[in-house]
Amino acid sequence: MRPPPSFTRRHLIRLATAGAALAQALALVGPVHAADAFEGDPFQSHPWPDMRREYLGAGPVVWDERVQVSGPAFAEDPMNVPVSVAVDGLDGIERIVILVDRNPIRKVLEYQPLAALPRVSFRFKLEQASPVRAAVRTRDGRWHVGGAWVDSSGGGCTVSGATRKDGSWSRTLGSVSARMFERSEAPGSAADSVALDAGSRIRVRVMHPMDTGLVAGVPAFYLSRLTLRDGQDRELLRLQPFEPVSENPVFSFDFPTRPTGPLRLVGVDNNGNRIDSRIE
C-alpha cells in the first residue's frame, strides 16, 4: 500500500527516527509495573486494602518492625489463641488496634495505653489461618503496622464456649480476678519477644461468655468497654474488646512503675451489664 502523495519520504524518515527514540527511552525506563494491589502488605492478603480503609481510614500507613506481634505458628485451640503485642521505640502512641484478616469479625480489640506501656497480651478466637495485625496510631496521624501469620485448623468463631454449653456463665458473669507482678517475674516473661525492664505487669481476668453471634440461637454478647483506674480514680488504660476475644478473657498490661492502689476495673458489656471491681 502506497502512502498518500503528501506523505513524502522525509515524513517516513522522521517517523522512523521518532519511533527509535521512543524505543530507546522505554528501554531506559524499564518495564512498566501494574499498581500494587496489596498496597505494600508483606502478607499479600486480599482483604487488606478494604480493611485498611474501613478500620484505619485515609491516614498514612507504614510497615514498622517496631510493632511486634507474637503468636503461635499453629493454633492448636482456635478458640484460645494467645497473642502479644509490644511496641518499642515509637513515641506519641494514641491507640493500638488488633485486626485478623480472615476472621468473619475482623476487629478484635482496641487499646489506649494512657499511663501504661504500649504492650498487651490476651487470647482470641481464630476462624482460619490468617495474618494477625497490630495497627498503632501516633499523634501525627500515621498508622504503624506489624503482624504475624498464625495457622489454624479453624472454627474458633462459630463454636459455643464451654460456659455457654454447660450454662455456668450466668453464675460467674462479671466476676473479676487479678494479680500484679514485677515484670521480670511475671509468668511467661522468658518467652516475651522483647526484653523486660523494671516495672509491673497486671493480669486481669473477667468472667464473660464473649459470644460472637455466629452460633445459631446465641446472639452476640461480649464485653465492650473496660478501664483500669488507680487509687486517685485516674484512668490508666482503656480497652475495647470485641466478639472474637476469647471466653472469660485474661488481659496482661505492663506499666513502667507500680500503679498506686487500690485499683478498680470498670466496664460494661453490649447488653448494659456493668463491671466495677476493686483490685487490691
Side-chain angles (χ1 to χ4, degrees), residues 45-66:
S45 170
H46 289 284
W48 170 248
D50 290 335
M51 291 172 58
R52 178 193 184 284
R53 285 185 283 273
E54 180 177 356
Y55 300 112
L56 308 185
V61 172
V62 296
W63 307 100
D64 198 326
E65 294 182 353
R66 292 172 292 183

PDB file of all heavy atoms in Angstrom, residues 45-66:
ATOM      1  N   SER A  45      -2.259 -10.042  51.431  1.00  0.00           N
ATOM      2  CA  SER A  45      -3.596 -10.511  51.792  1.00  0.00           C
ATOM      3  C   SER A  45      -4.642  -9.726  51.005  1.00  0.00           C
ATOM      4  O   SER A  45      -4.655  -8.491  51.034  1.00  0.00           O
ATOM      5  CB  SER A  45      -3.814 -10.334  53.291  1.00  0.00           C
ATOM      6  OG  SER A  45      -5.152 -10.553  53.646  1.00  0.00           O
ATOM      7  N   HIS A  46      -5.529 -10.436  50.321  1.00  0.00           N
ATOM      8  CA  HIS A  46      -6.555  -9.760  49.515  1.00  0.00           C
ATOM      9  C   HIS A  46      -7.512  -8.906  50.351  1.00  0.00           C
ATOM     10  O   HIS A  46      -7.944  -7.845  49.889  1.00  0.00           O
ATOM     11  CB  HIS A  46      -7.332 -10.787  48.687  1.00  0.00           C
ATOM     12  CG  HIS A  46      -6.533 -11.370  47.563  1.00  0.00           C
ATOM     13  ND1 HIS A  46      -6.266 -10.674  46.392  1.00  0.00           N
ATOM     14  CD2 HIS A  46      -5.923 -12.577  47.432  1.00  0.00           C
ATOM     15  CE1 HIS A  46      -5.526 -11.430  45.590  1.00  0.00           C
ATOM     16  NE2 HIS A  46      -5.300 -12.584  46.190  1.00  0.00           N
ATOM     17  N   PRO A  47      -7.890  -9.310  51.577  1.00  0.00           N
ATOM     18  CA  PRO A  47      -8.796  -8.439  52.355  1.00  0.00           C
ATOM     19  C   PRO A  47      -8.149  -7.137  52.826  1.00  0.00           C
ATOM     20  O   PRO A  47      -8.864  -6.211  53.215  1.00  0.00           O
ATOM     21  CB  PRO A  47      -9.178  -9.307  53.560  1.00  0.00           C
ATOM     22  CG  PRO A  47      -8.876 -10.712  53.160  1.00  0.00           C
ATOM     23  CD  PRO A  47      -7.712 -10.617  52.239  1.00  0.00           C
ATOM     24  N   TRP A  48      -6.808  -7.056  52.837  1.00  0.00           N
ATOM     25  CA  TRP A  48      -6.145  -5.933  53.481  1.00  0.00           C
ATOM     26  C   TRP A  48      -6.551  -4.563  52.939  1.00  0.00           C
ATOM     27  O   TRP A  48      -6.829  -3.644  53.738  1.00  0.00           O
ATOM     28  CB  TRP A  48      -4.629  -6.087  53.446  1.00  0.00           C
ATOM     29  CG  TRP A  48      -3.917  -4.841  53.875  1.00  0.00           C
ATOM     30  CD1 TRP A  48      -3.166  -4.012  53.105  1.00  0.00           C
ATOM     31  CD2 TRP A  48      -3.952  -4.236  55.172  1.00  0.00           C
ATOM     32  NE1 TRP A  48      -2.706  -2.944  53.838  1.00  0.00           N
ATOM     33  CE2 TRP A  48      -3.187  -3.063  55.118  1.00  0.00           C
ATOM     34  CE3 TRP A  48      -4.564  -4.591  56.379  1.00  0.00           C
ATOM     35  CZ2 TRP A  48      -3.009  -2.245  56.216  1.00  0.00           C
ATOM     36  CZ3 TRP A  48      -4.390  -3.760  57.474  1.00  0.00           C
ATOM     37  CH2 TRP A  48      -3.613  -2.608  57.389  1.00  0.00           C
ATOM     38  N   PRO A  49      -6.578  -4.311  51.629  1.00  0.00           N
ATOM     39  CA  PRO A  49      -6.925  -2.953  51.174  1.00  0.00           C
ATOM     40  C   PRO A  49      -8.269  -2.464  51.705  1.00  0.00           C
ATOM     41  O   PRO A  49      -8.400  -1.299  52.105  1.00  0.00           O
ATOM     42  CB  PRO A  49      -6.926  -3.091  49.644  1.00  0.00           C
ATOM     43  CG  PRO A  49      -5.967  -4.213  49.382  1.00  0.00           C
ATOM     44  CD  PRO A  49      -6.189  -5.180  50.504  1.00  0.00           C
ATOM     45  N   ASP A  50      -9.281  -3.346  51.728  1.00  0.00           N
ATOM     46  CA  ASP A  50     -10.581  -2.941  52.263  1.00  0.00           C
ATOM     47  C   ASP A  50     -10.517  -2.749  53.775  1.00  0.00           C
ATOM     48  O   ASP A  50     -11.139  -1.827  54.327  1.00  0.00           O
ATOM     49  CB  ASP A  50     -11.643  -3.990  51.927  1.00  0.00           C
ATOM     50  CG  ASP A  50     -11.983  -4.011  50.442  1.00  0.00           C
ATOM     51  OD1 ASP A  50     -11.796  -2.975  49.773  1.00  0.00           O
ATOM     52  OD2 ASP A  50     -12.415  -5.065  49.948  1.00  0.00           O
ATOM     53  N   MET A  51      -9.783  -3.614  54.475  1.00  0.00           N
ATOM     54  CA  MET A  51      -9.629  -3.462  55.923  1.00  0.00           C
ATOM     55  C   MET A  51      -8.956  -2.145  56.261  1.00  0.00           C
ATOM     56  O   MET A  51      -9.351  -1.456  57.209  1.00  0.00           O
ATOM     57  CB  MET A  51      -8.797  -4.611  56.478  1.00  0.00           C
ATOM     58  CG  MET A  51      -9.465  -5.960  56.434  1.00  0.00           C
ATOM     59  SD  MET A  51      -8.318  -7.284  56.892  1.00  0.00           S
ATOM     60  CE  MET A  51      -7.811  -6.760  58.522  1.00  0.00           C
ATOM     61  N   ARG A  52      -7.931  -1.818  55.509  1.00  0.00           N
ATOM     62  CA  ARG A  52      -7.195  -0.574  55.749  1.00  0.00           C
ATOM     63  C   ARG A  52      -8.131   0.621  55.686  1.00  0.00           C
ATOM     64  O   ARG A  52      -8.113   1.498  56.547  1.00  0.00           O
ATOM     65  CB  ARG A  52      -6.080  -0.439  54.724  1.00  0.00           C
ATOM     66  CG  ARG A  52      -5.263   0.830  54.839  1.00  0.00           C
ATOM     67  CD  ARG A  52      -4.403   1.015  53.590  1.00  0.00           C
ATOM     68  NE  ARG A  52      -3.530   2.154  53.682  1.00  0.00           N
ATOM     69  CZ  ARG A  52      -3.900   3.422  53.539  1.00  0.00           C
ATOM     70  NH1 ARG A  52      -5.166   3.705  53.296  1.00  0.00           N
ATOM     71  NH2 ARG A  52      -3.027   4.400  53.634  1.00  0.00           N
ATOM     72  N   ARG A  53      -8.972   0.667  54.653  1.00  0.00           N
ATOM     73  CA  ARG A  53      -9.884   1.802  54.501  1.00  0.00           C
ATOM     74  C   ARG A  53     -10.958   1.809  55.581  1.00  0.00           C
ATOM     75  O   ARG A  53     -11.339   2.865  56.095  1.00  0.00           O
ATOM     76  CB  ARG A  53     -10.510   1.773  53.103  1.00  0.00           C
ATOM     77  CG  ARG A  53      -9.557   2.203  52.006  1.00  0.00           C
ATOM     78  CD  ARG A  53     -10.239   2.274  50.663  1.00  0.00           C
ATOM     79  NE  ARG A  53     -10.419   0.942  50.097  1.00  0.00           N
ATOM     80  CZ  ARG A  53      -9.509   0.317  49.360  1.00  0.00           C
ATOM     81  NH1 ARG A  53      -8.344   0.894  49.104  1.00  0.00           N
ATOM     82  NH2 ARG A  53      -9.750  -0.883  48.862  1.00  0.00           N
ATOM     83  N   GLU A  54     -11.463   0.611  55.939  1.00  0.00           N
ATOM     84  CA  GLU A  54     -12.557   0.542  56.913  1.00  0.00           C
ATOM     85  C   GLU A  54     -12.101   0.874  58.326  1.00  0.00           C
ATOM     86  O   GLU A  54     -12.793   1.597  59.060  1.00  0.00           O
ATOM     87  CB  GLU A  54     -13.177  -0.860  56.893  1.00  0.00           C
ATOM     88  CG  GLU A  54     -14.319  -1.015  57.875  1.00  0.00           C
ATOM     89  CD  GLU A  54     -14.991  -2.378  57.799  1.00  0.00           C
ATOM     90  OE1 GLU A  54     -14.607  -3.188  56.925  1.00  0.00           O
ATOM     91  OE2 GLU A  54     -15.891  -2.635  58.624  1.00  0.00           O
ATOM     92  N   TYR A  55     -10.944   0.365  58.737  1.00  0.00           N
ATOM     93  CA  TYR A  55     -10.531   0.485  60.133  1.00  0.00           C
ATOM     94  C   TYR A  55      -9.487   1.562  60.386  1.00  0.00           C
ATOM     95  O   TYR A  55      -9.389   2.078  61.502  1.00  0.00           O
ATOM     96  CB  TYR A  55      -9.999  -0.858  60.632  1.00  0.00           C
ATOM     97  CG  TYR A  55     -11.020  -1.964  60.557  1.00  0.00           C
ATOM     98  CD1 TYR A  55     -10.869  -3.026  59.671  1.00  0.00           C
ATOM     99  CD2 TYR A  55     -12.153  -1.939  61.359  1.00  0.00           C
ATOM    100  CE1 TYR A  55     -11.811  -4.033  59.592  1.00  0.00           C
ATOM    101  CE2 TYR A  55     -13.110  -2.942  61.288  1.00  0.00           C
ATOM    102  CZ  TYR A  55     -12.934  -3.985  60.402  1.00  0.00           C
ATOM    103  OH  TYR A  55     -13.880  -4.979  60.324  1.00  0.00           O
ATOM    104  N   LEU A  56      -8.700   1.904  59.375  1.00  0.00           N
ATOM    105  CA  LEU A  56      -7.628   2.876  59.571  1.00  0.00           C
ATOM    106  C   LEU A  56      -7.889   4.190  58.862  1.00  0.00           C
ATOM    107  O   LEU A  56      -7.169   5.168  59.090  1.00  0.00           O
ATOM    108  CB  LEU A  56      -6.282   2.290  59.102  1.00  0.00           C
ATOM    109  CG  LEU A  56      -5.912   0.915  59.666  1.00  0.00           C
ATOM    110  CD1 LEU A  56      -4.508   0.520  59.214  1.00  0.00           C
ATOM    111  CD2 LEU A  56      -6.026   0.880  61.177  1.00  0.00           C
ATOM    112  N   GLY A  57      -8.868   4.237  57.981  1.00  0.00           N
ATOM    113  CA  GLY A  57      -9.200   5.482  57.303  1.00  0.00           C
ATOM    114  C   GLY A  57      -8.178   5.843  56.243  1.00  0.00           C
ATOM    115  O   GLY A  57      -7.454   5.001  55.706  1.00  0.00           O
ATOM    116  N   ALA A  58      -8.112   7.136  55.950  1.00  0.00           N
ATOM    117  CA  ALA A  58      -7.272   7.614  54.852  1.00  0.00           C
ATOM    118  C   ALA A  58      -5.881   8.036  55.285  1.00  0.00           C
ATOM    119  O   ALA A  58      -5.090   8.503  54.471  1.00  0.00           O
ATOM    120  CB  ALA A  58      -7.970   8.794  54.153  1.00  0.00           C
ATOM    121  N   GLY A  59      -5.554   7.905  56.556  1.00  0.00           N
ATOM    122  CA  GLY A  59      -4.243   8.321  57.044  1.00  0.00           C
ATOM    123  C   GLY A  59      -3.124   7.467  56.485  1.00  0.00           C
ATOM    124  O   GLY A  59      -3.348   6.341  56.026  1.00  0.00           O
ATOM    125  N   PRO A  60      -1.895   7.974  56.522  1.00  0.00           N
ATOM    126  CA  PRO A  60      -0.754   7.213  56.005  1.00  0.00           C
ATOM    127  C   PRO A  60      -0.488   5.960  56.839  1.00  0.00           C
ATOM    128  O   PRO A  60      -0.659   5.961  58.056  1.00  0.00           O
ATOM    129  CB  PRO A  60       0.410   8.206  56.091  1.00  0.00           C
ATOM    130  CG  PRO A  60      -0.009   9.206  57.124  1.00  0.00           C
ATOM    131  CD  PRO A  60      -1.492   9.306  57.032  1.00  0.00           C
ATOM    132  N   VAL A  61      -0.072   4.877  56.161  1.00  0.00           N
ATOM    133  CA  VAL A  61       0.234   3.600  56.805  1.00  0.00           C
ATOM    134  C   VAL A  61       1.651   3.196  56.449  1.00  0.00           C
ATOM    135  O   VAL A  61       2.044   3.249  55.279  1.00  0.00           O
ATOM    136  CB  VAL A  61      -0.754   2.512  56.352  1.00  0.00           C
ATOM    137  CG1 VAL A  61      -0.325   1.142  56.871  1.00  0.00           C
ATOM    138  CG2 VAL A  61      -2.162   2.827  56.833  1.00  0.00           C
ATOM    139  N   VAL A  62       2.436   2.795  57.457  1.00  0.00           N
ATOM    140  CA  VAL A  62       3.794   2.300  57.220  1.00  0.00           C
ATOM    141  C   VAL A  62       3.929   0.947  57.896  1.00  0.00           C
ATOM    142  O   VAL A  62       3.332   0.695  58.946  1.00  0.00           O
ATOM    143  CB  VAL A  62       4.865   3.272  57.754  1.00  0.00           C
ATOM    144  CG1 VAL A  62       4.816   4.588  57.008  1.00  0.00           C
ATOM    145  CG2 VAL A  62       4.702   3.516  59.248  1.00  0.00           C
ATOM    146  N   TRP A  63       4.717   0.065  57.302  1.00  0.00           N
ATOM    147  CA  TRP A  63       5.016  -1.241  57.896  1.00  0.00           C
ATOM    148  C   TRP A  63       6.249  -1.067  58.782  1.00  0.00           C
ATOM    149  O   TRP A  63       7.301  -0.671  58.305  1.00  0.00           O
ATOM    150  CB  TRP A  63       5.237  -2.272  56.794  1.00  0.00           C
ATOM    151  CG  TRP A  63       4.081  -2.295  55.841  1.00  0.00           C
ATOM    152  CD1 TRP A  63       4.011  -1.710  54.623  1.00  0.00           C
ATOM    153  CD2 TRP A  63       2.807  -2.885  56.077  1.00  0.00           C
ATOM    154  NE1 TRP A  63       2.769  -1.895  54.072  1.00  0.00           N
ATOM    155  CE2 TRP A  63       2.004  -2.612  54.933  1.00  0.00           C
ATOM    156  CE3 TRP A  63       2.250  -3.613  57.119  1.00  0.00           C
ATOM    157  CZ2 TRP A  63       0.692  -3.056  54.820  1.00  0.00           C
ATOM    158  CZ3 TRP A  63       0.945  -4.057  57.006  1.00  0.00           C
ATOM    159  CH2 TRP A  63       0.185  -3.791  55.879  1.00  0.00           C
ATOM    160  N   ASP A  64       6.086  -1.333  60.067  1.00  0.00           N
ATOM    161  CA  ASP A  64       7.077  -0.919  61.042  1.00  0.00           C
ATOM    162  C   ASP A  64       7.513  -2.103  61.900  1.00  0.00           C
ATOM    163  O   ASP A  64       6.677  -2.726  62.584  1.00  0.00           O
ATOM    164  CB  ASP A  64       6.484   0.191  61.925  1.00  0.00           C
ATOM    165  CG  ASP A  64       7.540   0.987  62.661  1.00  0.00           C
ATOM    166  OD1 ASP A  64       8.564   0.405  63.040  1.00  0.00           O
ATOM    167  OD2 ASP A  64       7.314   2.202  62.874  1.00  0.00           O
ATOM    168  N   GLU A  65       8.806  -2.411  61.888  1.00  0.00           N
ATOM    169  CA  GLU A  65       9.334  -3.517  62.682  1.00  0.00           C
ATOM    170  C   GLU A  65       9.275  -3.252  64.177  1.00  0.00           C
ATOM    171  O   GLU A  65       9.430  -4.183  64.980  1.00  0.00           O
ATOM    172  CB  GLU A  65      10.777  -3.810  62.265  1.00  0.00           C
ATOM    173  CG  GLU A  65      10.907  -4.344  60.844  1.00  0.00           C
ATOM    174  CD  GLU A  65      12.340  -4.673  60.487  1.00  0.00           C
ATOM    175  OE1 GLU A  65      13.244  -4.351  61.310  1.00  0.00           O
ATOM    176  OE2 GLU A  65      12.564  -5.229  59.400  1.00  0.00           O
ATOM    177  N   ARG A  66       9.055  -1.999  64.574  1.00  0.00           N
ATOM    178  CA  ARG A  66       8.942  -1.687  65.997  1.00  0.00           C
ATOM    179  C   ARG A  66       7.615  -2.164  66.582  1.00  0.00           C
ATOM    180  O   ARG A  66       7.453  -2.211  67.806  1.00  0.00           O
ATOM    181  CB  ARG A  66       9.107  -0.188  66.213  1.00  0.00           C
ATOM    182  CG  ARG A  66      10.513   0.318  65.914  1.00  0.00           C
ATOM    183  CD  ARG A  66      10.591   1.829  65.949  1.00  0.00           C
ATOM    184  NE  ARG A  66       9.841   2.438  64.851  1.00  0.00           N
ATOM    185  CZ  ARG A  66       9.801   3.745  64.612  1.00  0.00           C
ATOM    186  NH1 ARG A  66      10.457   4.570  65.414  1.00  0.00           N
ATOM    187  NH2 ARG A  66       9.104   4.219  63.593  1.00  0.00           N
TER     188      ARG A  66
END
